[in-house]
């Protein structure tokens, strides 16, 4: 993203009224102190239990604290200035995934959002941070590209409040990969590998469905990269 884009984000957030999403200090959306506390490296973060056949998943940290507030701030409150730190965290996961799966041309593919959600929020936050993460990595000399290859079928319900089985049933066959443009992509990036990108991985059902859709048209998916991973809490019997 250009300096002009960063200034536009800052102006938008100034008009809305800014305070740090981490400590609520007035001013920047992410103060220097909270920014310094962000993770510096991603790690393997497979969902538990993992959906059968899912590729390795990586996240910059658990979906709590500052990472949770960053995701909510962009997705639910359209705080555009948070795209940059979120993209930086996603880029960490992409780098970790590439380090473990080997070098080579890589395409980042965001998990698609429901059109109704995009219209309601006025923003596709996952696509936005994936695009910026790819730009950040290219500036560092990492050979990645970003393509929105996936679409959702009509009738997919909101995932909030659903358990792992309900999420899987809701998502079965819900994501498609239209073939238009894939041949051109294959010619321009032969033998490319694909990484599914999302803001948060919870049960892994959404990421696994995105993986299935890409693989159904012959694309090689090697990993899932996310900003954060929900930590499964052990059930305590009373």
């Amino acid at each position: 993203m250009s300096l002009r884009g960063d200034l536009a984000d800052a102006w938008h957030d100034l008009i809305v009224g800014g305070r740090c999403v981490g400590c609520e200090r007035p001013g920047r959306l992410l103060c220097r102190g909270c920014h310094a506390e962000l993770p510096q490296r991603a790690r393997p973060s497979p969902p538990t239990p993992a959906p059968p056949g899912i590729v390795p998943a990586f996240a910059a940290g658990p979906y709590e604290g500052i990472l949770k507030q960053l995701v909510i701030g962009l997705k639910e409150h359209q705080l555009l200035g948070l795209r940059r730190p979120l993209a930086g965290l996603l880029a960490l996961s992409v780098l970790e995934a590439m380090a473990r799966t080997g070098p080579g041309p890589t395409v980042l593919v965001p998990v698609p959002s429901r059109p109704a959600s995009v219209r309601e929020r006025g923003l596709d936050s996952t696509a936005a941070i994936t695009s910026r993460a790819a730009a950040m990595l290219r500036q560092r000399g990492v050979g990645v590209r970003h393509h929105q290859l996936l679409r959702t079928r009509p009738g997919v319900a909101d995932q909030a409040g659903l358990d792992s089985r309900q999420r899987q049933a809701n998502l079965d066959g819900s994501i498609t990969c239209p073939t238009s443009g894939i041949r051109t992509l294959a010619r321009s990036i032969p033998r490319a590998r694909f990484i599914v990108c999302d803001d948060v991985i919870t049960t892994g059902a959404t990421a696994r469905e995105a993986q299935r859709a890409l693989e159904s048209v012959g694309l090689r998916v090697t990993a899932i990269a996310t900003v954060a991973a929900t930590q499964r809490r052990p059930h305590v019997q009373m």
Side-chain angles (χ1 to χ4, degrees):
M1 181 65 69
S2 65
L3 176 60
R4 181 179 298 177
D6 288 335
L7 290 174
D9 287 353
W11 174 253
H12 173 276
D13 296 330
L14 178 63
I15 296 301
V16 172
R19 62 178 56 243
C20 177
V21 297
C23 63
E24 297 191 347
R25 177 181 300 173
R28 300 182 180 205
L29 291 177
L30 185 64
C31 72
R32 292 179 180 176
C34 288
H35 189 278
E37 295 178 4
L38 293 179
Q40 298 301 306
R41 184 172 180 178
R43 61 185 181 182
S45 301
T48 306
I54 193 170
V55 293
F58 301 87
Y63 184 55
E64 58 188 32
I66 183 64
L67 296 193
K68 183 174 183 178
Q69 295 308 314
L70 286 171
V71 170
I72 292 174
L74 179 60
K75 178 180 286 187
E76 303 297 338
H77 305 298
Q78 294 78 53
L79 299 177
L80 302 181
L82 298 180
R83 287 188 294 189
R84 186 175 185 84
L86 283 166
L89 293 167
L90 179 60
L92 293 177
S93 293
V94 172
L95 286 173
E96 190 68 22
M98 294 179 69
R100 291 172 181 260
T101 58
T106 301
V107 178
L108 308 186
V109 182
V111 166
S113 300
R114 294 184 305 130
S117 297
V118 175
R119 288 193 298 270
E120 179 182 350
R121 294 168 177 160
L123 174 71
D124 188 335
S125 58
T126 302
I129 64 173
T130 303
S131 174
R132 181 170 281 206
M136 287 179 170
L137 290 169
R138 285 195 300 273
Q139 289 175 352
R140 297 171 59 178
V142 181
V144 299
R145 292 174 63 174
H146 156 262
H147 287 276
Q148 289 182 251
L149 298 176
L150 301 174
R151 302 288 184 272
T152 58
R153 293 187 188 276
V156 181
D158 193 316
Q159 296 281 80
L162 302 183
D163 61 25
S164 59
R165 291 183 179 180
Q166 291 169 329
R167 284 173 180 253
Q168 187 62 61
N170 179 49
L171 289 168
D172 281 344
S174 64
I175 297 178
T176 65
C177 185
T179 56
S180 59
I182 290 181
R183 289 190 182 93
T184 302
L185 180 62
R187 286 195 299 268
S188 62
I189 318 178
R191 298 180 297 280
R193 298 170 306 168
F194 294 78
I195 295 179
V196 173
C197 297
D198 205 352
D199 51 7
V200 180
I201 187 167
T202 304
T203 66
T206 302
R208 181 65 182 92
E209 174 62 13
Q211 176 190 336
R212 180 207 61 77
L214 291 169
E215 291 175 339
S216 72
V217 295
L219 303 181
R220 180 188 173 201
V221 180
T222 57
I224 295 158
T226 67
V227 171
T230 299
Q231 302 297 291
R232 189 176 180 86
R233 300 292 195 270
H235 179 68
V236 179
Q237 294 185 344
M238 301 299 291

